[in-house]
Amino acid sequence: MTKKLAYMSVFTAFAMILGYIEVLIPISFGIPGVKLGLPNLIIVLALYRVGSKEALLINIIRIILTGLLFGNFFSILFSLAGGLISFIVMWSIKKTKQFSIISVSVAGGLAHNVGQIFVASLVVGTYSILYYIPVLMIAGLLTGAVMGILAKIINDKIIIDRW
Amino acid sequence: MKKNDILLICILIVVAGVTYLFVNHIVMQKGGKVEVLVDGKVEHTFSLEKDMEYTIKTDDGDYNVLVINDNEVWISKADCPDQLCVHQHKISKVGESIICLPHKLVIRIADTEKSDLDAVAD
């Protein structure tokens, strides 16, 4: 049990580092608070190696902590929305057992961005923000694909204890 | 498992592509007027055709400098901490917007004929 807790903590820390790197990358979508989705790599890995409930917990905690450290209230709100929606999508796709880890990551990346912009449009109060959806969908697909390939490599090669 | 992956990714790419075409060609058109919303209410309206510069000031002393030039709109200067509004790209089509969250400011392009019903309060 403690071993599992230690692993989950390391996963969370790793996800937070990725979240920080994400903020450093100077790609702005023009909407405050909407980000690329690098930490999804960890969430996908956790989903496959630790468990669904644990992965969800890691996701929520890293979003709140990263937001408190580097972001603001709105970025936490948007990230939580994106994170929860993407988690539901990823969990569902994984449950069907018809797709590989790469698809899970791609779908998760896409859902994360669409979820973020959707909540952003509700908060800001204008529908005009939705015109960014195509850009965000493609960005989500790409980051999801790259993270998915990384996740597949790590998942296949690295041996972690079972608990 | 491999075949399903490719199928899913292709479908998602197609969906993204279709959404892109839809949004860029059907939804977005060149606009006629620039609306400035503070806290959700339209405070000022300008014509996209007239080149000008306007400083939006709030009671707290915050400012954003709005520039309309060559049928494009952008924010050239502001005193918000994140400066995201200054870095957003120039807008010109209906529906596009520039947002300054710290100042609760939304600059958006609207159609000259119909009025956007977002901010009507009677």
Side-chain angles (χ1 to χ4, degrees):
Chain A
M1 170 59 187
T2 336
K3 206 191 254 184
K4 190 174 177 188
L5 189 61
Y7 269 113
M8 284 173 66
S9 311
V10 173
F11 271 72
T12 309
F14 202 152
M16 287 176 68
I17 292 175
L18 284 177
Y20 177 60
I21 294 177
E22 204 172 54
V23 170
L24 289 181
I25 296 176
I27 299 180
S28 178
F29 290 108
I31 312 172
V34 175
K35 301 194 286 255
L36 281 175
L38 295 183
N40 235 16
L41 168 66
I42 304 299
I43 308 306
V44 172
L45 273 175
L47 197 58
Y48 274 80
R49 297 306 278 253
V50 188
S52 309
K53 289 197 291 260
E54 292 81 355
L56 180 62
L57 192 62
I58 292 172
N59 207 10
I60 294 178
I61 291 181
R62 70 99 187 162
I63 286 173
I64 295 178
L65 288 178
T66 310
L68 287 174
L69 283 173
F70 313 117
N72 49 56
F73 170 72
F74 285 112
S75 71
I76 295 180
L77 191 65
F78 300 158
S79 282
L80 264 179
L84 289 174
I85 293 179
S86 93
F87 183 81
I88 292 174
V89 168
M90 288 197 291
W91 182 84
S92 313
I93 293 193
K94 175 169 180 278
K95 200 88 197 287
T96 68
K97 293 201 205 290
Q98 299 292 324
F99 302 96
S100 80
I101 192 172
I102 300 182
S103 289
V104 169
S105 176
V106 168
L110 185 81
H112 187 94
N113 281 4
V114 172
Q116 277 189 319
I117 194 179
F118 193 66
V119 171
S121 78
L122 290 176
V123 165
V124 173
T126 58
Y127 301 114
S128 45
I129 216 179
L130 292 174
Y131 96 97
Y132 276 112
I133 280 191
V135 180
L136 282 168
M137 281 177 84
I138 297 176
L141 272 179
L142 286 174
T143 8
V146 172
M147 290 299 125
I149 295 173
L150 273 176
K152 177 162 174 50
I153 296 173
I154 296 176
N155 193 31
D156 290 345
K157 304 259 180 188
I158 302 213
I159 308 191
I160 304 180
D161 305 305
R162 303 282 163 207
W163 37 66
Chain B
M1 275 212 197
K2 259 295 177 163
K3 224 191 318 178
N4 283 340
D5 287 339
I6 299 178
L7 187 66
L8 178 70
I9 294 179
C10 282
I11 291 178
L12 289 178
I13 291 179
V14 167
V15 169
V18 168
T19 317
Y20 172 78
L21 289 173
F22 179 73
V23 170
N24 273 25
H25 294 285
I26 299 181
V27 176
M28 294 197 347
Q29 288 128 19
K30 234 168 109 197
K33 62 183 186 197
V34 182
E35 287 176 344
V36 177
L37 294 95
V38 179
D39 218 353
K41 296 200 309 267
V42 181
E43 299 276 334
H44 314 275
T45 309
F46 304 108
S47 164
L48 193 57
E49 325 262 316
K50 271 212 331 219
D51 291 355
M52 53 161 280
E53 219 180 82
Y54 181 78
T55 304
I56 304 156
K57 288 206 264 272
T58 70
D59 299 323
D60 308 316
D62 305 322
Y63 74 88
N64 300 75
V65 180
L66 173 76
V67 178
I68 303 179
N69 187 282
D70 245 345
N71 272 291
E72 291 182 315
V73 182
W74 70 93
I75 294 184
S76 60
K77 255 187 0 173
D79 67 343
C80 51
D82 55 18
Q83 292 290 299
L84 283 174
C85 49
V86 181
H87 291 123
Q88 286 176 47
H89 61 82
K90 305 180 184 178
I91 59 177
S92 56
K93 305 233 179 70
V94 175
E96 285 190 292
S97 57
I98 297 179
I99 297 160
C100 181
L101 269 183
H103 294 173
K104 301 207 192 132
L105 177 71
V106 176
I107 317 261
R108 69 169 180 222
I109 310 283
D111 222 335
T112 23
E113 267 95 56
K114 3 179 210 136
S115 121
D116 198 292
L117 289 178
D118 265 77
V120 174
D122 256 43

